[in-house]
Amino acid sequence: MTSPESDDIQHAEPRGDRAHFLQVFLSQRSQMEALVNRRVGCRATAADLVQDLFLRFWRRPLVQVEELSTYLLRCAGNIAIDHLRSEGTRVRANEGLMAEPALSVGSEPQAALEAGNDLRHVEAALRALPERTRQIFLLNRIHGRKYAEIAKAMGLSQSAVEKHMMRALEACKASLREPDARTPGKAQ
């Protein structure tokens, strides 16, 4: 993200500037979220990133720029790019960790069939979970949120989030242990 300490910025005096900043930020929030959403493809992530942007500005000394609304939109675009870069790095790292040894040609169709069956069973197990447990699982495993972040966002203790995750993971494991979960081609 472009640093708010660049040359075109001067530190502001602490008069009514916080109120002005808050007013401009709130008036631009929906535009910033729309811009970030277009780049990252997820409204919830966009809202989180814009909220993070607000906190970054709120915690540091106020700055004076010529056109605050334009500056905020530029920063929102930059924070979306930073997010995409970090997600790309995370995906590449996960792909490197999950690289499997090459399968023999004869076993590829069977392995694909088994993987598809496993996926269907895990999806069914996730759909059967209580809504809150499923939401916590998806926030952690799909959106990469940490337990503490989820706990704060949902108004829960971190221990409660951990318990929900244990239930979700156990349900996924159990769905793969069931005898019919490993039998390819079996009707559901």
Side-chain angles (χ1 to χ4, degrees):
M1 185 171 96
T2 303
S3 172
E5 284 83 23
S6 58
D7 294 338
D8 62 337
I9 301 171
Q10 302 165 351
H11 289 282
E13 316 252 332
R15 30 188 164 73
D17 290 332
R18 283 216 184 260
H20 173 70
F21 168 76
L22 187 58
Q23 177 186 6
V24 173
F25 187 91
L26 291 175
S27 71
Q28 293 296 313
R29 184 180 188 117
S30 61
Q31 270 188 289
M32 290 187 292
E33 285 182 5
L35 171 73
V36 175
N37 182 31
R38 282 192 303 274
R39 293 202 175 157
V40 301
C42 176
R43 277 192 315 213
T45 301
D48 286 346
L49 291 172
V50 170
Q51 182 66 27
D52 289 345
L53 183 65
F54 173 81
L55 291 174
R56 287 182 188 183
F57 280 104
W58 196 256
R59 289 179 179 150
R60 68 176 67 164
L62 289 177
V63 294
Q64 191 71 36
V65 295
E66 278 190 38
E67 188 57 46
L68 182 58
S69 59
T70 304
Y71 181 70
L72 288 173
L73 284 171
R74 188 174 77 218
C75 290
N78 290 342
I79 204 167
I81 291 168
D82 289 348
H83 173 77
L84 291 173
R85 283 182 186 147
S86 69
E87 285 296 307
T89 301
R90 185 179 317 179
V91 166
R92 285 190 301 278
N94 286 341
E95 286 173 352
L97 291 174
M98 297 175 71
E100 295 183 22
L103 298 172
S104 67
V105 176
S107 68
E108 285 179 17
Q110 181 67 23
L113 184 58
E114 288 177 12
N117 283 335
D118 288 350
L119 181 59
R120 280 189 291 281
H121 286 284
V122 169
E123 286 175 340
L126 290 175
R127 281 192 303 273
L129 290 173
E131 178 63 29
R132 179 177 277 181
T133 303
R134 182 174 49 251
Q135 184 179 15
I136 289 170
F137 178 84
L138 294 173
L139 284 170
N140 177 257
R141 295 303 166 116
I142 304 300
H143 297 286
R145 300 287 181 234
K146 295 183 172 132
Y147 291 174
E149 293 173 320
I150 296 168
K152 186 174 181 180
M154 296 183 80
L156 300 170
S157 68
Q158 186 167 333
S159 173
V161 170
E162 290 169 359
K163 288 175 184 171
H164 281 283
M165 280 299 295
M166 286 190 308
R167 282 186 211 122
L169 292 171
E170 187 53 44
C172 291
K173 288 178 191 174
S175 74
L176 297 175
R177 283 193 301 256
E178 295 171 3
D180 65 333
R182 303 304 271 172
T183 308
K186 192 161 190 172
Q188 303 283 329

